[in-house]
Amino acid sequence: MKKTFGTFIILSTLLLASCGGTSTASSLTVIEKGQSNNNKEFWILVNDSNDPSKEETFKIMIKERAIWNLIEEEKEYFIMYSNNGDKPRVLENIQR
């Protein structure tokens, strides 16, 4: 009975852990801001400030227009964002 219960707990924990995405925090420079034609989706295009040789940019979606309005292009921010596999990255926190 104890062995079965222990196995159940371990498997449940592994299942729950695999369902969530990952959060990443880094110092990033905002290259560009954009929004959809219907003004319902907002995003920023960023690159890694810590590695200037790395030219890779990526998009982070922003849920609230008020936050998007405060972000400035060509500025460096400390950004935390979620990354859930095939889904777009989503802003969780931003600080200057």
Side-chain angles (χ1 to χ4, degrees):
M1 179 74 169
K2 267 188 173 181
K3 199 180 235 185
T4 305
F5 183 70
T7 304
F8 175 75
I9 295 295
I10 291 171
L11 290 175
S12 298
T13 304
L14 290 173
L15 179 64
L16 290 173
S18 68
C19 291
T22 59
S23 289
T24 304
S26 183
S27 181
L28 303 171
T29 300
V30 175
I31 304 300
E32 182 181 330
K33 292 171 53 174
Q35 59 185 324
S36 63
N37 291 335
N38 61 4
N39 296 326
K40 292 188 178 185
E41 293 182 335
F42 306 95
W43 54 267
I44 53 176
L45 191 62
V46 298
N47 73 351
D48 191 348
S49 306
N50 299 319
D51 190 0
S53 65
K54 194 174 184 179
E55 294 294 324
E56 181 181 341
T57 60
F58 57 93
K59 186 185 286 188
I60 300 175
M61 303 304 291
I62 301 173
K63 292 180 181 178
E64 297 178 32
R65 181 186 185 113
I67 293 171
W68 180 82
N69 283 333
L70 295 173
I71 297 171
E72 298 177 39
E73 292 180 349
E74 302 302 323
K75 298 288 182 180
E76 186 176 331
Y77 296 90
F78 185 75
I79 297 175
M80 185 183 309
Y81 60 92
S82 63
N83 191 2
N84 293 327
D86 294 341
K87 295 180 183 177
R89 295 172 178 100
V90 178
L91 182 74
E92 292 179 357
N93 193 348
I94 186 166
Q95 297 177 5
R96 183 124 193 251

